[in-house]
Amino acid sequence: MTSDTNEIGAGDLFVGLSGPDMQGTRVEFPRGVVLERTFAHLMAPMVMAFAPPGPGGYHPAPWKTARGGFGQDINAQLTVPKAAADTLDERIEIASTITFLLRLWSDPSITMIAGANMSFATIREAPDAAAHIVPFQFRRRVFALSPADTSGVLKSLDWVAAHLETTLRLMRGSPEFRLAAYAMETGQFIDNTALTLISLWGALEALFSPSTAELRFRVSALIASYTSPPGGERQDAQKRIAALYDKRSAAAHGAPKHDGDDLLATFELLRKVLIKFIRDGRVPTKQELEGRLFGVT
């Protein structure tokens, strides 16, 4: 946690999101967390100084403004009250987990823009510099995901609220789940799609590979047995997953053969796995996965 982040930790945490059009809807999550509509445009213009900082830590004039910088609309606010968790790190974890669930279930384009020490609506009337704002996610989405239909986003928020505590528990208790969630979260922002594909499959291998032997078949078969019922549907799923794994292997060995559809299918595969983990409330052991494959469980 940086010193900048410490400045927003004394009271409630206010997090600005881009993406969800709340349309006046107010959603209540466990622990008193609230998601509601707001609007602000966060700007970070480019300013340059031309001398090293002085004794006070400030760069002396002249300063010069330049084109470029960062700018993003905030159209929803997540309020995480101080009572929701003992520390700022834990409150940020709650906000990050809700954002992850919103991306996973509702709209993958939602972004957690910044945190603040006061609500974004009250900053307008606050004295200059009273608001302390810390940016969280502001990189460009290289492989941008978006829902085919946004009409059901508001209705989907109840699922997010219902599964928050389960997801927090999985994030804290399962390193494999946490790695997979992180790969899903960051995949849109990686500049090289081959690295994205390798990252997503690295997470799947951590979840479904009990050993390094016969990775292609073992991983594809275990994923298929976990996500599909026995029979022809499972067999077809294993073949599709194995074909995607071939794309991963090619990318890992410096001869990528994938296209956008392959990457999208891998995102969707990891999404399906994560949603099932959350619904089941647990990450199965490798032994349980092998038992499922052979019809033991």
Side-chain angles (χ1 to χ4, degrees):
M1 186 168 61
T2 67
S3 58
D4 281 347
T5 308
N6 275 323
E7 294 295 328
I8 62 173
D12 298 346
L13 171 65
F14 301 89
V15 176
L17 305 180
S18 73
D21 182 2
M22 300 303 295
Q23 301 177 16
T25 301
R26 185 177 188 271
V27 179
E28 296 183 1
F29 293 87
R31 307 189 187 210
V33 178
V34 173
L35 177 64
E36 57 192 335
R37 186 176 186 176
T38 192
F39 183 82
H41 183 77
L42 181 62
M43 296 173 284
M46 300 297 287
V47 179
M48 297 189 70
F50 302 92
Y58 300 100
H59 294 271
W63 293 1
K64 180 67 68 174
T65 59
R67 294 185 180 184
F70 163 81
Q72 183 70 54
D73 285 348
I74 292 171
N75 51 23
Q77 177 176 279
L78 196 62
T79 303
V80 184
K82 185 176 181 180
D86 294 333
T87 67
L88 175 61
D89 281 346
E90 291 174 313
R91 295 196 286 280
I92 292 175
E93 179 188 35
I94 291 170
S96 298
T97 302
I98 291 174
T99 305
F100 161 69
L101 284 170
L102 289 170
R103 283 177 168 172
L104 184 73
W105 186 254
S106 304
D107 182 347
S109 69
I110 291 171
T111 305
M112 191 168 94
I113 300 297
N117 62 338
M118 60 180 69
S119 74
F120 291 92
T122 61
I123 292 176
R124 177 176 179 174
E125 306 300 331
D128 286 348
H132 195 101
I133 298 174
V134 176
F136 288 137
Q137 298 171 339
F138 50 87
R139 290 184 295 166
R140 179 176 67 93
R141 292 194 302 148
V142 177
F143 190 83
L145 301 172
S146 59
D149 180 10
T150 60
S151 61
V153 168
L154 285 180
K155 292 181 180 178
S156 73
L157 300 182
D158 289 340
W159 187 93
V160 174
H163 292 85
L164 172 59
E165 293 292 348
T166 296
T167 308
L168 278 170
R169 177 170 51 79
L170 291 173
M171 286 283 198
R172 293 167 179 171
S174 171
E176 296 88 354
F177 182 92
R178 191 163 57 249
L179 174 65
Y182 184 76
M184 190 82 183
E185 283 277 86
T186 59
Q188 298 184 66
F189 303 96
I190 298 175
D191 289 334
N192 187 304
T193 60
L195 292 178
T196 305
L197 194 65
I198 293 169
S199 173
L200 297 175
W201 273 104
L204 286 165
E205 288 173 5
L207 290 161
F208 289 98
S209 174
S211 73
T212 58
E214 298 292 338
L215 272 178
R216 179 182 182 274
F217 176 77
R218 186 180 292 272
V219 172
S220 61
L222 289 176
I223 294 175
S225 69
Y226 184 67
T227 58
S228 303
E233 181 179 343
R234 179 177 292 181
Q235 186 179 42
D236 291 342
Q238 187 274 327
K239 292 177 181 178
R240 290 195 304 272
I241 295 166
L244 284 175
Y245 192 87
D246 289 340
K247 306 292 184 179
R248 167 259 178 228
S249 297
H253 291 92
K257 298 178 181 179
H258 65 278
D259 57 23
D261 288 341
D262 298 319
L263 190 54
L264 182 61
T266 304
F267 267 112
E268 183 55 36
L269 177 62
L270 182 55
R271 176 181 182 269
K272 184 176 182 180
V273 167
L274 287 169
I275 288 172
K276 184 162 173 56
F277 287 157
I278 292 168
R279 281 177 164 161
D280 291 349
R282 60 191 299 270
V283 176
T285 66
K286 304 300 191 297
Q287 292 76 17
E288 289 170 333
L289 288 169
E290 289 198 334
R292 190 183 186 96
L293 176 62
F294 294 108
V296 177
T297 58

